[in-house]
Amino acid sequence: MTLWYEETFQGTRLSLESIETLYSGKSEFQKIEIFETKAYGRALALDDVFMTSVKDEFMYHEMLTHPAMLTAEDPKRVLVIGGGDGGTVREVLRYPGVETCVMIEIDQGVVEACKEYLPMIGTAWDEPRLDLRFADGIDYVKNSDEEKYDVILLDGTDPVGPGEVLFAQEFFAACKRMMKPGGVLAMQSETPILMQQVFFETQGKLRELFAHVHPYFGPVPLYASGIWSWTWASDREGHLNLDHGRAAPIINGCRYYNDAIHQAAFAQPNYVRRGLAKLGG
Ligand code: SPD
């Protein structure tokens, strides 16, 4: 019998033919499932929403990580909030100049399941520069008195239900509090098609806090609508100014990201230009 694993998201349905369920559990926070799919290889779903797959994860994780890392000035301290599959910290820890990467993930259950069943995504769990903590990212950025960060990467779930707080102005302001002057923040900012309102509201919220805010775009075939956005924000200009010396070895090891993709990803389709123009500023 053919098994289909189905995600319903914003009035759409995406079904993946599933060969085998490898893990199915419920943590204090959410339902966690990892299964082997015919089209995308192993895939992780949280509360019935696809989070990542072996076949396309590189597009998402490279695009979340490298535009910020390669435009920040020699980042040494990096904070990742969320990202329980380990793909984002894997990309961050490819930079020899990074001294510490603090990862704050609320759900230990996700990390444990991913360590066991998705080790091909999270390949940096044993890196000594990784400081993995199971805690609430919002509490952390609001209350931490630790040294500030050069780069902050937000790798959260969709802003639906419990994930909504990760798109709140209060949360972004607290993230900014934890950034060094001139630091860079990058976040996953949703599908600009199916979550268009959230996408533009997010741009507006970030513009109130940062002098320079630039959305960028790329494909993530697993995610509803297929087109994804991330957003770069900083008080310092320079979203297109790659540090080419640092970029070369990183790009060499990437499967999606490169310098041409970097420039192209920040090009704004007309509907985005018009929507941003309405925000003013
Ligand atoms: N609709 C799915 C959005 C998921 C964004 N985060 C994915 C986490 C991958 N590390």
Side-chain angles (χ1 to χ4, degrees):
M1 194 181 70
T2 307
L3 287 173
W4 289 88
Y5 193 94
E6 191 166 84
E7 166 184 310
T8 306
F9 185 81
Q10 301 293 305
T12 68
R13 267 189 193 165
L14 174 63
S15 287
L16 294 189
E17 188 174 340
S18 168
I19 298 164
E20 186 188 358
T21 300
L22 299 163
Y23 178 83
S24 178
K26 201 160 172 34
S27 72
E28 182 190 339
F29 303 98
Q30 57 209 334
K31 183 158 98 180
I32 304 165
E33 290 166 286
I34 297 176
F35 38 92
E36 186 74 47
T37 73
K38 202 167 171 179
Y40 286 91
R42 290 190 182 187
L44 165 73
L46 298 178
D47 282 342
D48 301 314
V49 178
F50 299 126
M51 287 295 129
T52 200
S53 82
V54 165
K55 197 136 185 194
D56 74 345
E57 60 84 16
F58 63 98
M59 300 179 187
Y60 175 89
H61 292 121
E62 291 176 10
M63 288 298 275
L64 174 62
T65 308
H66 302 308
M69 290 296 290
L70 289 170
T71 52
E73 225 171 286
D74 194 18
K76 291 188 166 38
R77 278 181 61 78
V78 179
L79 172 65
V80 174
I81 296 187
D85 49 62
T88 300
V89 294
R90 173 197 75 212
E91 291 302 314
V92 169
L93 290 162
R94 290 180 52 216
Y95 290 80
V98 169
E99 289 170 1
T100 309
C101 176
V102 175
M103 169 174 163
I104 309 279
E105 163 62 55
I106 198 163
D107 196 341
Q108 186 166 0
V110 173
V111 173
E112 279 168 6
C114 290
K115 274 187 179 172
E116 171 102 26
Y117 296 102
L118 292 173
M120 58 297 268
I121 294 181
T123 54
W125 293 123
D126 296 329
E127 242 281 353
R129 295 173 295 158
L130 176 64
D131 179 354
L132 169 61
R133 308 180 198 172
F134 298 111
D136 182 338
I138 300 162
D139 269 4
Y140 177 76
V141 287
K142 275 190 179 161
N143 302 315
S144 169
D145 57 5
E146 285 180 327
E147 192 185 334
K148 312 256 188 259
Y149 293 91
D150 301 292
V151 169
I152 296 185
L153 302 173
L154 306 182
D155 187 8
T157 52
D158 299 299
V160 185
E164 217 173 323
V165 283
L166 295 175
F167 282 72
Q169 180 78 348
E170 207 189 344
F171 173 60
F172 297 147
C175 286
K176 183 164 185 195
R177 191 186 76 82
M178 288 306 291
M179 286 165 72
K180 288 185 188 164
V184 179
L185 174 142
M187 64 176 290
Q188 77 87 357
S189 46
E190 289 296 314
T191 153
I193 296 294
L194 298 176
M195 298 283 266
Q196 202 162 103
Q197 195 179 336
V198 168
F199 169 77
F200 283 117
E201 281 171 4
T202 303
Q203 305 306 309
K205 288 173 190 172
L206 292 171
R207 281 176 172 208
E208 282 176 26
L209 293 165
F210 295 95
H212 304 279
V213 176
H214 300 279
Y216 57 101
F217 305 91
V220 183
L222 182 70
Y223 295 167
S225 88
I227 168 94
W228 210 250
S229 79
W230 300 262
T231 301
W232 184 103
S234 177
D235 278 341
R236 193 172 55 77
E237 270 186 288
H239 65 294
L240 295 178
N241 298 339
L242 282 191
D243 177 333
H244 288 285
R246 281 193 298 124
I250 293 294
I251 288 172
N252 204 26
C254 281
R255 286 196 285 158
Y256 183 76
Y257 177 85
N258 60 36
D259 40 0
I261 289 280
H262 185 108
Q263 304 299 320
F266 283 95
Q268 295 175 354
N270 282 350
Y271 73 92
V272 171
R273 277 193 188 167
R274 290 175 189 139
L276 293 178
K278 281 193 204 144
L279 293 175

